[in-house]
Amino acid sequence: MATKLPRTDAVVVGLGWAGAIIANELVDAGLSVVGVERGPWRDTAKDFNIASVTDELRYAQRQELMLRTAQNTITMRNTPSQTALPMRQWGSFHPGNGTGGAGNHWAGITFRFQPEEFRLRSHLEERYGAGSIPDELSLQDWGTDWNEMEPHYDAFEKLAGTSGRAANLARGRQAGGNPFEGVRSSDYPTPPLKQPYSPTLFADTAREMGYQPFPVPSSLVSETYTNPLGVTMGPCTFCGFCTNYGCANYSKASSITTVLPTLIRKDNFEARTLCEVLRVTTDSDGRRATGIVYVDSAGRQWEQPADIVVIAAFTFENVRLMLTSNIGEAYDPITRRGTTGRNYAYQTANSVQLFFDDKNFNPFIGAGAVGMGIDEFNNDNFDHSGLGFFGGGSTRVTPIGAAPINSRPTPPGTPRWGSQWKRSTVDNYASTMSIGCEASNYASPNNYLSLDPTYRDRLGRPLLRITFDFTDNDLKMAQYVTDKVTEIAKRMNPRQMVAKPRTGPWDGRPYQSSHVVGGFVMGADPSHSSVNKYLQVWDVPNLFVVGASAFPQNPGYNPTGTVGALAFKAADGIVNHYLRRPGEMITT
Amino acid sequence: MSKTRDTAKAGGLTRRQLLGSSAALLVGASGTARALSYTDTPEWQPFSNIAATPVDDDADWQFFTPDEAATVEAIVERLIPADDLSVSGKDAGCAVFIDRQLAGLYGDYERRYMHGPFQAGTPQQGDQSPLTPQQRYRLGLASLDDHCRNTQDALFKDLGGEQRDAILAQLESGDIALDDIDSVAFFEIVLQNTMEGFFADPMYGGNRDMVAWKMVGFPGARYDYRDYIERHNEDLAFEPVSIQGRGDWSTPA
């Protein structure tokens, strides 16, 4: 039995990007807020000290910062006819744990989605015809638009100190940025990062071919920056221990480097760590959330009543909590009814590896988001007429560092041990680079999230089950964009090239990206969405579920910028609309 | 000033209650950490969560029996042979590294989801073995010697280099079936751990004298390349540094 605690105005579940942003906005609006976090309190100085952070074994191999699968994991299968089995070690993606969440060990790449994305189905039907979208894709509009999203992107970039070069400013266009971006109300808060050799070589070649390369927008700040909350970050030093690591320099934006240092000092905020939420409680007819029940590290259960409940965990846990709390109707892939678990999507990661004889890339100099990209083959930036697929990808070179347990490129066919292996490892370590194409993944009726019927977590709750495979659409797209990248690679004149378009089936073992989205998506139509454009749950007006779980599909961009923007959007909905008419769905 | 407090009032246990209660109630995955409520400035000590402790290279084997250790050394010196590029995996400390890893939290997969039912799935569903790394080595090393006794009338460690290479290649390809463990799975964990040991920070027992880092040109635990990032296509000639520094930086004893 859970012991009931005194009520609070709002409880926020998860203190990663989304939860910390919303909690801070609600506290500033005068609400008393309790933040509940499954993992530990993390702090740069005690967790990511410069003396110890440069440890590939600990952070990349043993996954120190990631959620322990012993605590919670997922089960996976490619098709509904298979039996899902647990992911016993994180492979394909890396969920985080503790304050900061996956935002501690992310890469820092901070794109805005393009205006067309927020009305993707409408856009494609307008451009290619009403029947142009194949049945295997369940693409949707988001129920919002660029004008509504832009101020929230702007707020997130200013919070994170995002570095980059704008192209499409409201006051006019300028060269050197991403020409395909939506119109921006202001420039990036910090200038672009300096570039190492491999992105520079790529950008020079791309420019010669008529493309328009731009610095990858990065929430690894390029200079000392103080954000609107008064929190100061320091410049990125390109140490190369970035993705999978916490930042010791206060350079990588996360909730622990941009929000929590000020939020925790505010009187009406309290954070509870190592407390895992079991369910959202509702009144008898399920139309009002009454609070949450959580278990602390000693195994005792507590009920925290709240007038407003915000669920802002990682995609997987957002959806699992909704399923275990019976919020909404679970999606059924046969009848295609129900919305909880629907439209789960991923990212389609492709690459071309280039082996040179005459280059030294100093690959250990890097950062998760330093690099140059082009967007000519992304999303709907090129004409898809007659191609047989929709979507595309963000093409870029982003050297993240080259710690050598993982970074040991050798050409295909090289032995994996012995003298030949060693010779090839030495010969190729510094002279190999890769062009990535992080491409869209479009939702499909057969890709969904549900509760596993067999496997349970340590608390006896069902694990979340992923049923997912790449669609024909995405596989065709992968081949197309990889061919385009290969043309650029060829012109760079390497000794050898290895093109790696994503092929099926989805493989849970190698890391691809942590960009898992959907399952509790936003929209204007309650029959195909779980939350409205303010992330407010249909029919449960005081419950907000925030994160990449709200993406109806995934474009060819990294998700965090949009997660941050949606957090500001949800906070705006609560503070400026919901509090004026509590207990009602927001209708503006 | 810190207002960090136990969560008895706010929704958890006091430290005293926790210490007096059953340890089985502890959240296994978070070790001894306890639920805490934070307001105001959270209290922390510098380095308080930095538990990486250098291993003692010279200590006795922590997990392996002496026979097992000799077998592992006989494997790692073939996976990473001595040549003009580096010393062998054995002399680089890879067996010590694996021994210390198996004796530590990696050895029994305390962080890994280990609930059944355990059943074979598709390759894409990944490792579904119920065996911990400790068990994989214990069973695999014994089975490997059984195989060598049956086919070569010798222990693995007593075979010549080329014979060991041939057996390792047959484990890798699955052409040898071991009695108590899947031969490919056994080979894969040994290869993975050997490479981890060779390329990890030397404080974990392998990569002695930063031999692997010198070999490939990885500068190690450096953290500031702002002055170098725009020096393109140039050999920067960094000498590597480990988390513990460099031997030649230490005061001579």
Side-chain angles (χ1 to χ4, degrees), chain A residues 409-553:
Chain A
T410 54
T414 305
R416 297 191 300 153
W417 51 279
S419 276
Q420 259 185 290
W421 158 78
K422 203 196 287 183
R423 180 79 256 165
S424 181
T425 299
V426 171
D427 287 347
N428 291 292
Y429 177 76
S431 55
T432 304
M433 61 169 280
S434 183
I435 309 173
C437 187
E438 188 89 331
S440 55
N441 188 250
Y442 281 167
S444 176
N446 286 330
N447 292 335
Y448 69 106
L449 302 173
S450 55
L451 293 176
D452 192 274
T454 304
Y455 291 96
R456 292 177 178 267
D457 69 13
R458 75 200 198 288
L459 300 171
R461 296 184 301 159
L463 297 183
L464 189 72
R465 178 176 65 183
I466 299 174
T467 305
F468 176 83
D469 207 349
F470 295 103
T471 60
D472 287 344
N473 178 83
D474 289 334
L475 295 174
K476 275 186 206 163
M477 179 274 298
Q479 186 64 53
Y480 180 88
V481 297
T482 306
D483 287 347
K484 291 293 185 184
V485 175
T486 303
E487 291 173 13
I488 304 173
K490 197 176 288 179
R491 195 170 165 119
M492 293 168 74
N493 200 26
R495 175 188 84 228
Q496 185 176 354
M497 279 188 311
V498 182
K500 298 175 185 168
R502 180 60 53 195
T503 55
W506 170 52
D507 190 336
R509 294 167 297 176
Y511 184 74
Q512 290 151 67
S513 90
S514 301
H515 308 163
V516 291
V517 309
F520 209 72
V521 311
M522 60 193 284
D525 173 2
S527 69
H528 289 99
S529 61
S530 300
V531 295
N532 69 10
K533 67 181 180 182
Y534 292 103
L535 295 303
Q536 183 183 30
V537 177
W538 293 116
D539 297 331
V540 193
N542 68 329
L543 176 61
F544 294 77
V545 179
V546 186
S549 54
F551 296 7
Q553 59 269 332

Side-chain angles (χ1 to χ4, degrees), chain B residues 3 40 43 80 114 123 137 142 158 169 249 253:
Chain B
K3 291 188 195 166
D40 204 351
E43 88 186 354
I80 302 174
M114 291 297 277
Y137 276 87
D158 296 327
W249 290 357

Side-chain angles (χ1 to χ4, degrees), chain A residues 5-6 41-43 45-59 61-64 68-71 73 76-78 82-89 194-197 200 235-241 249 264-267 269-275 294 296-300 302 304 358-362 364-366 370 402-405 408 416-419 421-423 425-426 429-430 454-458 463 505-509, chain B residues 5 7-13 17-18 25-30 33-42 44-52 78-87 97 101 106 110-129 165 168-169 172 187-188 191-193 195-196 198-201 203-204 213 215-226 228-236 238 243:
Chain A
L5 296 161
W41 185 267
R42 296 206 196 271
D43 187 287
K46 79 175 172 65
D47 292 277
F48 312 137
N49 196 280
I50 197 67
S52 60
V53 78
T54 53
D55 187 343
E56 187 186 16
L57 183 75
R58 182 179 188 183
Y59 293 103
Q61 294 302 107
R62 303 291 178 253
Q63 305 185 336
E64 175 79 16
R68 316 277 199 248
T69 59
Q71 184 170 354
T73 184
M76 65 156 286
R77 58 182 182 175
N78 290 122
Q82 294 173 331
T83 300
L85 295 179
M87 191 175 278
R88 298 182 184 276
Q89 170 181 304
K194 292 178 186 173
Q195 296 295 336
Y197 185 36
T200 304
C236 174
T237 62
F238 315 104
C239 74
F241 295 90
N249 285 324
I264 195 66
R265 289 169 170 82
K266 295 181 181 177
D267 286 341
F269 179 72
E270 177 187 337
R272 293 186 200 145
T273 58
L274 299 170
C275 292
Y294 65 88
D296 69 14
S297 58
R300 290 223 319 211
W302 304 88
Q304 175 61 65
D358 58 343
K359 310 269 187 236
N360 183 342
F361 294 112
N362 289 312
F364 45 83
I365 300 177
V370 70
I405 297 175
R408 289 182 277 121
R416 297 191 300 153
W417 51 279
S419 276
W421 158 78
K422 203 196 287 183
R423 180 79 256 165
T425 299
V426 171
Y429 177 76
T454 304
Y455 291 96
R456 292 177 178 267
D457 69 13
R458 75 200 198 288
L463 297 183
W506 170 52
D507 190 336
R509 294 167 297 176
Chain B
R5 60 180 188 254
T7 51
K9 289 175 191 151
L13 283 179
Q17 282 174 306
L18 186 61
L25 288 176
L26 277 170
V27 178
S30 45
R34 66 190 196 278
L36 284 175
S37 166
Y38 294 97
T39 59
D40 204 351
T41 311
W44 53 265
Q45 297 292 322
F47 316 113
S48 63
N49 201 27
I50 296 164
R78 297 313 303 171
L79 295 179
I80 302 174
D83 56 22
D84 58 328
L85 293 170
S86 78
V87 299
F97 168 87
Q101 288 291 303
Y106 171 73
E110 69 169 57
R111 295 177 173 184
R112 185 183 281 223
Y113 184 82
M114 291 297 277
H115 298 289
F118 290 92
Q119 49 189 313
T122 65
Q124 290 77 21
Q125 288 176 311
D127 185 355
Q128 296 294 331
S129 168
D165 285 355
L168 290 170
E172 182 180 24
F187 178 85
E188 290 298 328
L191 180 65
Q192 180 199 320
N193 294 154
M195 293 301 170
E196 286 173 348
F198 193 56
F199 289 104
D201 193 279
M203 73 174 170
Y204 292 107
W213 292 355
M215 181 182 90
V216 296
F218 177 62
R222 294 178 185 268
Y223 78 96
D224 190 350
Y225 294 115
R226 281 174 291 178
Y228 301 94
I229 186 168
E230 292 182 317
R231 288 170 60 175
H232 293 169
N233 204 16
E234 180 182 336
D235 181 358
L236 298 171
F238 285 117
I243 287 173

